[in-house]
Amino acid sequence: MLGAAADGPVAFSADLSPAGLLAAYRAGVYPFPASDEYTRALNEVVFADQVQEGRIPLVGEQEPADPFAVSWWSPDPRPVLPVPAAHLSRSLARRLRNGLPWSTSLDQGFERVVRECRGDRVPLWLTEELIASLVRLHELGHAHSVEVWEEGDLIGGVFGLRIGSVFSMDSMFFQRPGASKVAVSDLAARFAQAGGELLDAQRDSPHVRDLGGILMPRAQYVRRLRRTVPDSLPMPTATLPARRLARTAGSR
């Protein structure tokens, strides 16, 4: 995998089972299921030659499933947020200090967060099969969500998988400006209390950079996964005021 393309799929595999998904994340790889038959066919047209030449492997038992329906990615470089560096902007911190009535929690609405992240986004990569496996991994203690609440309404969140001291964030959503950034900042704070060191953003964006994201070479990221500690310390799950996250933001 380390010799694979920096900006393309590193494998094709139809295996979206909980065990297959967990093994992939532990190797630094995440799935991108095709949202429709056109996307599946496009995968085959564009990448079939590379698959045939062995540059992109087909992984696992494919029959009767179609491997081109799920591509697997491991960008190089990898956008990550060192937990101590994750922060809110001064303007958002100011809004929280000025009385924005938000609170945060952990694992109090995992599937709700996943489905809000799915929403009506295009492409629709959060398929029902993938959601079912993520929910199962949540039940097994590997997948987690942070929820942001405003007077009982779910207004933002983030979810992903914990691999020891690394947390790979799959997706986030917001119903109020800044709510997804609060979710990520809250995740960093809770993860730090459990010995976490690194949030993996998977895909680079200005949103990620605003939160303190940096780029890490893929080989270095995979080494971090390989030396990571077991998922021993739990993250705190209590509902907490979001304004506490503003205490360290003002100095950044």
Side-chain angles (χ1 to χ4, degrees), residues 88-89 92-105 146-151 155 178-187 189-190 238-249:
L88 298 174
S89 67
L92 182 53
R94 188 180 307 113
R95 290 170 59 203
L96 291 173
R97 284 194 296 268
N98 289 342
L100 201 61
W102 291 359
S103 60
T104 62
S105 60
V146 163
E147 303 85 27
V148 182
W149 308 90
E150 182 180 82
E151 299 176 346
I155 61 165
S180 60
K181 294 180 179 180
V182 167
V184 173
S185 181
D186 182 84
L187 173 61
R190 293 175 192 265
T239 299
L240 299 170
R243 64 177 177 274
R244 79 191 196 287
L245 302 170
R247 294 170 186 167
T248 59

Side-chain angles (χ1 to χ4, degrees), residues 7-251:
D7 57 353
V10 298
F12 286 98
S13 173
D15 184 8
L16 282 174
S17 67
L21 204 57
L22 184 59
Y25 278 74
R26 285 174 171 166
V29 183
Y30 60 85
F32 197 79
S35 58
D36 50 34
E37 177 58 28
Y38 173 81
T39 306
R40 189 225 67 83
L42 187 63
N43 282 340
E44 185 169 8
V45 169
V46 173
F47 298 109
D49 288 347
Q50 296 180 55
V51 169
Q52 187 173 4
E53 294 166 3
R55 287 184 286 158
I56 302 178
L58 298 182
V59 180
E61 297 293 332
Q62 306 298 338
E63 297 296 337
D66 181 354
F68 286 103
V70 186
S71 57
W72 297 78
W73 297 72
S74 182
D76 189 12
R78 190 86 168 209
V80 299
L81 289 82
V83 165
H87 62 270
L88 298 174
S89 67
R90 292 187 177 183
S91 60
L92 182 53
R94 188 180 307 113
R95 290 170 59 203
L96 291 173
R97 284 194 296 268
N98 289 342
L100 201 61
W102 291 359
S103 60
T104 62
S105 60
L106 182 98
D107 288 343
Q108 293 188 21
F110 180 83
E111 187 169 354
R112 284 186 65 187
V113 170
V114 174
R115 292 193 176 279
E116 287 287 350
C117 287
R118 171 178 168 162
D120 55 0
R121 293 184 182 181
V122 176
L124 191 64
W125 62 273
L126 275 168
T127 62
E128 288 299 323
E129 183 182 5
L130 179 53
I131 290 174
S133 288
L134 288 166
V135 169
R136 180 56 181 153
L137 288 173
H138 170 64
E139 293 168 350
L140 294 172
H142 299 294
H144 304 277
S145 63
V146 163
E147 303 85 27
V148 182
W149 308 90
E150 182 180 82
E151 299 176 346
D153 293 329
L154 182 64
I155 61 165
V158 60
F159 79 91
L161 268 68
R162 177 181 179 177
I163 309 297
S165 61
V166 177
F167 192 101
S168 188
M169 300 184 295
D170 280 308
S171 190
M172 60 190 76
F173 84 97
F174 66 92
Q175 302 291 355
R176 304 283 189 279
S180 60
K181 294 180 179 180
V182 167
V184 173
S185 181
D186 182 84
L187 173 61
R190 293 175 192 265
F191 197 33
Q193 293 182 57
E197 299 176 356
L198 200 67
L199 302 182
D200 164 31
Q202 297 185 353
R203 295 167 291 275
D204 195 20
S205 70
H207 183 83
V208 170
R209 298 301 184 92
D210 287 345
L211 287 162
I214 60 173
L215 296 178
M216 176 179 288
R218 178 167 60 198
Q220 182 181 348
Y221 173 75
V222 172
R223 286 197 298 269
R224 290 289 294 268
L225 288 174
R226 288 174 177 170
R227 71 172 178 81
T228 196
V229 297
D231 303 355
S232 53
L233 295 176
M235 291 185 283
T237 61
T239 299
L240 299 170
R243 64 177 177 274
R244 79 191 196 287
L245 302 170
R247 294 170 186 167
T248 59
S251 60

